[in-house]
Amino acid sequence: MFPLKPVFISPHSGGGQSGILALRHGSTLKLPWRTPQIKDTVSVLLAILGITVTSGVCYLTLCRAHPIFAYEGDYISFRTKAEFFTKAEIEQKEYETWKLNTDIKYKGLTVQHPAKGIIHVKTTKWINGKPIKLNIVEINPKANSKLQIKPKTASTGVLNRKASIRNIANAENSIVAINGGYFKPQTGVPLGTLVIDNNVLTGPIYNRVALGINSNGTFSMDRSSIDIAIKGKKRIIKADNINQPRMLSTYTLVYTEKWGAMTPPAPKYGMAAAVKDGVVVNYGYGAVEIPKGGFSVVGPKQNIEVLLNEKNINMDIRFSDTFKNSEHIIGGGPYLVKNGQMYVDINDQKFGAINGKNPRTAIGYTKNNELIIVTVDGREETSVGMTLWEISKVMKDLGCEYAMNLDGGGSSVIYVKGKIENTPAYREGIAISNAIVINEVKSPDNIANVEDKSYQ
C-alpha cells in the first residue's frame, strides 16, 4: 500500500451552523461547539472517519486494478492466482504434502520411494492369528505429471498371447506393474473390458466393474456396459460384444484383427461377414477371415445378411457416461469398496467360486484421486491369503473411495523397479494376458524429479 497524505475534515461555509462535512487536504477543523474537550474529541473521531473512508476508497480502487486482489459481493478477499506459480512448484508442493501424509499413514513401516509420486510399503497383517503378507503401492499423479498409468497386453499385435509380468514391464520400461484383469487360460484372450489409448480391444462380460483412467489424471469406477452399432447407409444393427467368446447363440459379435486371422465359427443358422472400407468384402456360414484394417461380424443370419448390400458401413462403440473421459479402461470384479463403504457384490457379478482365502490383487482410488494397489500372498504358511471381504476392509482402511478386485491366485504378482516383490506360487508368477503398468514419461519440461535414492 502507498502512504496516505494527512487529511482533515472541515465544514463548508454556506450551510449555516449545520455545515456539510467534506474532505479537504491541509485544512483546519472548525466546529460551532465551544467546549474544548468536546471539540477535541469530535475532531479526533471525525479525523479517524475521514481516514477510514479515504483508505476504503483507495483499497477498492486497488482491488479492481490489481489482479492479485478480488472483490466479491459484500466482502473483500485476497486471492493468489495459480498462474503465479510454475507447474514444477505446484507439483513439488503437492509431493511434499503427500509425502508427509503418507509418512504419517504408514508410521512404523518402511516406506520406499521408487519414483516421485510413488511409494511402496511391505507389511504383514494378522487375522485370527494367521499371517498375511501385503505389498502396497500408492501413486499420486498430481505430484508427478510425468507418471503414466495404463493397461498393457502381453502382445501389441494380437490378444491371444501371454507373457510374464517382467516381460510386460520391461517392454514399457515400467517402474511398477501388476497383473490385470481376467483372461481365458487356454488362449490368453482378456475376459472383460479392455480399452487402451481409446482403442476398444474387448468388451464387458456380465457388466462387471471396471476402472477408468481418465485423460485429466483422475479415475472412474462403475459396472461397465457397451453399446455397439454397425451402421450402413440404410440399416443399423446392434452388436452385443467385441472380441469376446460367444455366450449365447443369439448374440451378434464383432471381431477385429486383434482377435486373430479368423473369426470363431458362426452359430447354428448363423452367418459371418467381413467389412472393409465400408463394404462387405466376404461372407459365409462358418468362420471368415478378419480383414486388416476392417472387422468381421458374426451372428444370427437375419442380423448379418442385411449388411450385404449396404455401403458406408462403419462401427460406433460407446461405454456408459462414467467412462466418457477415460483413455484406458480395464475390467475386474467384484467391487470391494463403493462410495467409501465396503461392498462386495459377488453374486451380481457372477463370481460365486472365488471367495476363499486366496492370493489377491486389488486396485482403487481415494477422494483425492490417489491410486492404491495391493497384492496379498496366499496358500502358504507364512501368508494364508484373504477373502474378498477381508481385502475389502484393507482397501477401505487405506482410504479408498472405490476399489475392485483384479485377477488373483497364481496370476497375482507385483513388480517394482526390476524386482518381483511378492512371493507367487510359481517363480515370478504365471504367464498372464494383461497388466497395469506405471511408467515415467521422459519429457524436456521443467518438472522437478525428486527420487529417493535409498530404494534398493
Side-chain angles (χ1 to χ4, degrees), residues 271-283:
M271 190 174 179
V275 179
K276 185 174 182 179
D277 298 328
V279 297
V280 173
V281 295
N282 185 26
Y283 69 93

Side-chain angles (χ1 to χ4, degrees), residues 13 43 59 137 150 173 286 314 347 424 440:
S13 60
S43 297
Y59 185 67
V137 170
K150 62 187 294 186
N173 194 28
N314 64 82
N347 295 330
E440 189 169 35

Side-chain angles (χ1 to χ4, degrees), residues 204-259:
I205 291 179
Y206 301 123
N207 293 341
R208 286 173 175 166
V209 63
L211 171 74
I213 302 165
N214 303 326
S215 56
N216 62 356
T218 63
F219 306 100
S220 303
M221 191 172 290
D222 199 357
R223 298 282 294 271
S224 58
S225 59
I226 195 168
D227 184 5
I228 305 174
I230 311 298
K231 300 179 179 180
K233 193 171 182 179
K234 298 179 180 179
R235 301 291 297 271
I236 298 175
I237 67 169
K238 294 288 187 179
D240 296 283
N241 218 327
I242 179 170
N243 290 333
Q244 292 288 256
R246 177 171 297 281
M247 301 177 71
L248 291 174
S249 61
T250 55
Y251 277 5
T252 297
L253 302 174
V254 175
Y255 295 95
T256 70
E257 57 190 293
K258 291 285 186 181
W259 175 267

Side-chain angles (χ1 to χ4, degrees), residues 64-128:
R64 295 177 183 275
H66 201 286
I68 204 170
F69 296 88
Y71 178 72
E72 299 184 3
D74 295 331
Y75 66 92
I76 299 167
S77 63
F78 291 87
R79 179 182 296 164
T80 304
K81 290 193 173 180
E83 56 261 35
F84 286 96
F85 297 95
T86 67
K87 187 177 182 181
E89 289 171 334
I90 294 170
E91 289 190 5
Q92 183 62 25
K93 181 63 178 176
E94 173 70 28
Y95 173 77
E96 291 169 358
T97 302
W98 175 71
K99 185 177 184 299
L100 177 63
N101 290 339
T102 53
D103 284 345
I104 296 171
K105 181 177 180 179
Y106 297 105
K107 186 177 180 180
L109 301 175
T110 301
V111 179
Q112 305 279 9
H113 296 263
K116 182 184 177 186
I118 303 176
I119 64 169
H120 174 217
V121 178
K122 300 185 78 166
T123 186
T124 299
K125 183 178 179 64
W126 294 79
I127 298 178
N128 298 326

Side-chain angles (χ1 to χ4, degrees), residues 430-448:
I430 64 173
I432 57 177
S433 160
N434 59 92
I436 298 174
V437 298
I438 295 92
N439 314 315
E440 189 169 35
V441 178
K442 303 303 179 184
S443 58
D445 55 29
N446 297 351
I447 299 173

Side-chain angles (χ1 to χ4, degrees), residues 130-416:
K130 302 290 185 180
I132 303 112
K133 294 179 181 177
L134 293 90
N135 278 270
I136 304 167
V137 170
E138 290 199 23
I139 302 108
N140 185 351
K142 300 186 297 297
N144 184 358
S145 60
K146 293 181 181 179
L147 294 178
Q148 181 186 68
I149 305 163
K150 62 187 294 186
K152 178 77 172 65
T153 54
S155 169
T156 57
V158 292
L159 295 172
N160 57 344
R161 295 287 187 275
K162 295 183 290 184
S164 69
I165 192 82
R166 183 180 295 279
N167 287 341
I168 295 174
N170 285 344
E172 291 283 320
N173 194 28
S174 301
I175 302 166
V176 175
I178 58 164
N179 63 288
Y182 301 97
F183 60 93
K184 195 169 184 178
Q186 297 87 341
T187 63
V189 173
L191 296 175
T193 304
L194 188 60
V195 178
I196 301 177
D197 295 323
N198 295 307
N199 183 19
V200 181
L201 301 180
T202 55
I205 291 179
Y206 301 123
N207 293 341
R208 286 173 175 166
V209 63
L211 171 74
I213 302 165
N214 303 326
S215 56
N216 62 356
T218 63
F219 306 100
S220 303
M221 191 172 290
D222 199 357
R223 298 282 294 271
S224 58
S225 59
I226 195 168
D227 184 5
I228 305 174
I230 311 298
K231 300 179 179 180
K233 193 171 182 179
K234 298 179 180 179
R235 301 291 297 271
I236 298 175
I237 67 169
K238 294 288 187 179
D240 296 283
N241 218 327
I242 179 170
N243 290 333
Q244 292 288 256
R246 177 171 297 281
M247 301 177 71
L248 291 174
S249 61
T250 55
Y251 277 5
T252 297
L253 302 174
V254 175
Y255 295 95
T256 70
E257 57 190 293
K258 291 285 186 181
W259 175 267
M262 303 289 292
T263 68
K268 189 176 182 180
Y269 309 118
M271 190 174 179
V275 179
K276 185 174 182 179
D277 298 328
V279 297
V280 173
V281 295
N282 185 26
Y283 69 93
Y285 302 94
V288 298
E289 187 175 354
I290 303 171
K292 298 289 185 183
F295 59 90
S296 294
V297 191
V298 184
K301 181 181 176 182
Q302 65 269 23
N303 290 353
I304 307 302
E305 62 183 0
V306 298
L307 295 174
L308 297 184
N309 297 317
E310 280 286 348
K311 296 180 179 179
N312 303 325
I313 302 171
N314 64 82
M315 179 168 55
D316 180 63
I317 304 177
R318 298 177 187 272
F319 285 90
S320 58
D321 286 347
T322 301
F323 303 108
K324 65 183 178 181
N325 297 319
S326 299
E327 291 182 323
H328 319 288
I329 310 173
I330 185 165
Y335 267 117
L336 297 175
V337 179
K338 185 177 181 181
N339 293 320
Q341 301 299 317
M342 293 171 62
Y343 182 81
V344 182
D345 53 344
I346 304 172
N347 295 330
D348 287 348
Q349 297 193 39
K350 302 188 187 306
F351 280 116
I354 66 168
N355 195 31
K357 284 185 175 290
N358 290 299
R360 301 280 180 195
T361 302
I363 191 166
Y365 57 93
T366 68
K367 282 186 178 180
N368 294 324
N369 273 287
E370 297 142 351
L371 194 69
I372 296 181
I373 294 167
V374 174
T375 61
V376 176
D377 286 343
R379 301 174 185 168
E380 56 184 270
E381 289 186 6
T382 57
S383 185
V384 298
M386 281 186 168
T387 67
L388 288 170
W389 281 104
E390 287 169 347
I391 196 169
S392 169
K393 187 175 188 307
V394 168
M395 300 304 283
K396 179 182 181 296
D397 290 347
L398 289 172
C400 287
E401 187 73 3
Y402 286 86
M404 72 179 191
N405 191 57
L406 289 168
D407 195 9
S411 298
S412 190
V413 61
I414 185 166
Y415 166 104
V416 182

Side-chain angles (χ1 to χ4, degrees), residues 420-435:
I420 304 299
E421 290 289 349
N422 65 326
T423 54
Y426 298 93
R427 181 178 173 84
E428 298 208 340
I430 64 173
I432 57 177
S433 160
N434 59 92

